[in-house]
Amino acid sequence: MNLEMIEAAAGRIKGHARRTPLLSSPFIDEIAGRRVFVKPEALQHTGSFKFRGAWSAVSALTDSALKAGVIAFSSGNHAQGVALAAREHETSAVIVMPADAPEMKIENTRALGAEVVLYDRATEDRDEIGTRLATERGLTLIKPFDEPLVIAGQGTIGLEILDQSAEVGANASEVLVCCGGGGLTSGIALALEAKAPQMRVRPVEPENFDDVTRSLEAGEIKRNASLSGSICDAIITPQPGDVTFPILNRLCGAGIVVPEEDCLRAMAVAFARLKIVLEPGGAIALAAALYHGAQIEGDDVIAIASGGNVDAEVFQMALTKYGKDA
């Protein structure tokens, strides 16, 4: 993994992925006690940053691999990204998804033309299922985070941050990233390493699913005890990746762990003050900026709002509980 791979991915993605802006609000700055800039990848194709990595990987396949088709496993955002990238490249996609994923994510993945295979994330191993089906059907497996081409695609967000932070004078920001297996976090960290070493990337995770934070503290990969039971489904993974963890361990600051309620509060604030819809896992970096400022250094923060694929019931719950305070 290196900057050249990310720049190459940016070349393949240009004209296909959206260049998302940096948003700000004086109301958010007041809550946080510092300047906060939000990069809304919820506005990306398929509603999350995952389209970048999916396009990066699919666009790099050989003609024969494209003809055979691709397979991925995902709770929903990577699923939709791969499904759309596959459709745009006129190839087939099989997506292995947990049965308890938000219904909207499952239905959207099917609507994009993918074959969806459901599994029980508490009792079945998605890696095993994905690898087995890839072998049986001759498909190319596109992993959600532990794949260099996917990491390179996510790293294109870091390249955009470089330009955008200069425009607003936020070149020394702490960059807070919603973190599951570390593909987005490590990609951004790699992009910033060479050109903005003064910017520090911080992974943000939900309580009880803080494998990256604990792994960084220990200096070795730690696993989550459970793989279900959080509204932050988009960023629940078994453990950091073998590819991503060395990058995280070398380049990132300490993780920040956030309770679910703060994610719901941040969703309400994002809707009220920025007019964007976020899912709980996609709002967790903003939640860290708003409510966990004691763990953040410096005057400026850039929070990645990584996705907005939320079921109506969960979004309504966030607005009902916290909308009046946003």
Side-chain angles (χ1 to χ4, degrees):
M1 290 301 310
N2 53 48
L3 181 62
E4 288 71 26
M5 288 185 66
I6 296 172
E7 291 175 334
R12 296 195 303 276
I13 286 172
K14 186 176 182 180
H16 301 285
R18 293 178 178 138
R19 181 182 174 89
T20 54
L22 279 188
L23 304 179
S24 62
S25 161
F27 299 101
I28 288 178
D29 292 351
E30 184 177 355
I31 296 171
R34 53 170 53 87
R35 289 202 305 173
V36 176
F37 299 93
V38 177
K39 189 158 178 63
E41 283 294 301
L43 303 180
Q44 189 55 258
H45 297 302
T46 70
S48 90
F49 74 96
K50 290 288 190 176
F51 177 75
R52 295 176 185 261
W55 187 278
S56 171
V58 173
S59 64
L61 293 176
T62 64
D63 290 342
S64 60
L66 279 174
K67 184 177 181 180
V70 299
I71 185 170
F73 43 77
S74 165
S75 67
N77 287 336
H78 181 62
Q80 293 171 83
V82 171
L84 179 57
R87 190 179 76 174
E88 294 296 310
H89 284 83
E90 299 183 345
T91 189
S92 61
V94 177
I95 311 293
V96 181
M97 301 184 69
D100 63 346
E103 187 64 24
M104 183 185 71
K105 294 182 179 180
I106 295 173
E107 291 307 315
N108 283 353
T109 303
R110 287 179 173 142
L112 288 168
E115 174 190 346
V116 174
V117 176
L118 299 177
Y119 75 100
D120 184 336
R121 71 166 109 202
T123 62
E124 296 181 283
D125 184 344
R126 69 179 189 175
D127 294 76
E128 185 279 326
I129 296 170
T131 301
R132 173 170 50 82
L133 289 176
T135 301
E136 291 173 356
R137 303 192 190 185
L139 308 174
T140 297
L141 176 60
I142 300 177
K143 295 182 179 181
F145 55 84
D146 216 27
E147 159 56 53
L149 288 170
V150 169
I151 295 170
Q154 322 307 24
T156 61
I157 295 174
L159 297 182
E160 292 177 15
I161 287 173
L162 285 169
D163 295 335
Q164 293 167 329
S165 62
E167 292 171 1
V168 297
N171 304 72
S173 300
E174 288 216 327
V175 182
L176 310 186
V177 186
C178 313
C179 188
L184 175 62
T185 312
S186 60
I188 292 175
L190 281 169
L192 297 179
E193 175 191 21
K195 297 187 176 182
Q198 73 279 12
M199 301 178 80
R200 185 170 65 159
V201 173
R202 304 282 301 279
V204 186
E205 299 176 287
E207 280 186 345
N208 302 316
F209 299 91
D210 56 346
D211 50 300
V212 169
T213 298
R214 290 183 288 108
S215 297
L216 291 175
E217 291 174 350
E220 61 183 16
I221 291 177
K222 297 294 183 180
R223 189 176 177 86
N224 280 323
S226 176
L227 298 179
S228 62
S230 173
I231 61 172
C232 298
D233 64 281
I235 54 174
I236 302 305
T237 54
Q239 63 187 47
D242 293 332
V243 177
T244 60
F245 180 67
I247 301 169
L248 301 173
N249 197 38
R250 181 170 65 86
L251 297 179
C252 290
I256 302 173
V257 181
V258 173
E260 289 184 354
E261 289 300 310
D262 286 349
C263 296
L264 294 173
R265 294 167 69 192
M267 290 167 63
V269 170
F271 182 69
R273 302 306 181 184
L274 300 175
K275 311 307 176 187
I276 58 174
V277 174
L278 301 181
E279 62 190 279
I284 198 168
L286 176 58
L290 293 174
Y291 311 120
H292 298 266
Q295 299 182 55
I296 300 169
E297 298 178 2
D299 297 328
D300 299 325
V301 166
I302 296 172
I304 310 300
S306 58
N309 292 310
V310 58
D311 281 345
E313 294 81 2
V314 175
F315 190 65
Q316 185 177 30
M317 176 175 63
L319 297 187
T320 299
K321 293 184 71 173
Y322 299 110
K324 64 181 182 297
D325 301 320

